[in-house]
Amino acid sequence: MRKQSKPAYWGRNAARNAEKRFLREKKTAGQRVDETRKATADVFVMCILSAVYDTYGIGETRLHRVVDAANERAVRYTNIKNGLPRLVDGKRRTGPEIAEMELDKDVKEYFPSGFVLPAHKMAKKRDLLAAYEQRRAAATVAKLYAYGLHQALGFGPERMETVMREAVKVYEKFREWADDGDYYGYKMLARKMEEILRCPCEVNDTEAKEPVFGATLD
């Protein structure tokens, strides 16, 4: 694969960088929500790749094309998100709002309407914001990878709906694994990445202080 286009989770250490980002010392509530959002997005990307591989037998070479296309669209999304507010259809919109609106426009013909990441467990009142951010992060990354699948492999509405449904199943399984500790959840997901990439994938817990998804690191 071309080195410059590899995503952070791709290759020999598929889950290593994820583990470093996700498991850190105790943070403020805002920082915690932000890390949970990022963790959910990265994990759901791997769930999408797993779903595509399992359902359609699409391996490393073609998945790499999907990643390239999704990454390219993600750069444009980020640039718009970080941009200044402006008027859209007569209403003042922020950068993040415009970024989502334009992404929605790009994928509306083939992305399943009403896509929502199911809640793993009933969220406590103090965790409602984190649960909302998890769903929002998953929806955004799902659209970016739907764009990648459409551009690289020509996936249409029917296949896209199947991929997202299967990706949710993989995510739900990951959350069950993570209930026994984030390390275990990532280790199991890394095994799946090994199957897809045909190379060793390791989980590095040397900087793990506190889990994001699981209750312990046992």
Side-chain angles (χ1 to χ4, degrees), residues 25-120:
E25 68 277 9
K26 190 173 183 179
K27 303 292 181 65
T28 65
Q31 290 171 321
R32 181 71 172 180
V33 168
D34 185 58
E35 288 198 351
T36 301
R37 179 175 60 244
K38 292 176 181 177
T40 302
D42 282 355
V43 166
F44 199 62
V45 166
M46 289 187 272
C47 294
I48 292 171
L49 298 178
S50 178
V52 174
Y53 174 80
D54 284 342
T55 306
Y56 297 107
I58 294 173
E60 178 184 351
T61 300
R62 286 189 291 170
L63 283 178
H64 182 65
R65 291 164 50 199
V66 173
V67 171
D68 282 347
N71 283 347
E72 183 179 340
R73 185 60 183 83
V75 169
R76 181 151 56 99
Y77 176 92
T78 300
N79 288 339
I80 297 171
K81 180 180 177 181
N82 294 335
L84 296 174
R86 57 184 170 87
L87 291 178
V88 178
D89 296 332
K91 294 184 179 181
R92 184 176 176 83
R93 302 288 189 179
T94 65
E97 288 175 327
I98 298 170
E100 284 293 333
M101 290 170 63
E102 294 200 3
L103 181 58
D104 285 341
K105 187 183 300 183
D106 281 352
V107 303
K108 68 179 181 180
E109 298 298 326
Y110 48 83
F111 187 74
S113 61
F115 172 82
V116 176
L117 187 70
H120 176 59

Side-chain angles (χ1 to χ4, degrees), residues 158-183:
E158 185 175 341
R159 282 196 167 191
M160 209 70 74
E161 184 172 356
T162 298
V163 167
M164 295 306 159
R165 182 175 63 248
E166 296 305 312
V168 166
K169 292 180 182 178
V170 178
Y171 179 79
E172 290 175 332
K173 179 59 67 176
F174 165 80
R175 291 304 304 268
E176 291 176 8
W177 293 330
D179 281 347
D180 292 326
D182 279 355
Y183 180 86

Side-chain angles (χ1 to χ4, degrees), residues 6-24:
K6 290 181 183 177
Y9 49 81
W10 195 273
R12 179 177 178 81
N13 300 320
R16 174 174 292 176
N17 290 328
E19 190 76 3
K20 286 182 178 180
R21 288 196 303 272
F22 305 163
L23 307 179
R24 293 177 178 168

Side-chain angles (χ1 to χ4, degrees), residues 4 61 206:
Q4 66 271 20
T61 300
T206 57

Side-chain angles (χ1 to χ4, degrees), residues 180-196:
D180 292 326
D182 279 355
Y183 180 86
Y184 181 72
Y186 286 119
K187 185 64 176 178
M188 297 301 290
L189 196 55
R191 288 183 182 177
K192 188 62 183 179
M193 292 298 103
E194 287 181 346
E195 179 183 347
I196 296 172

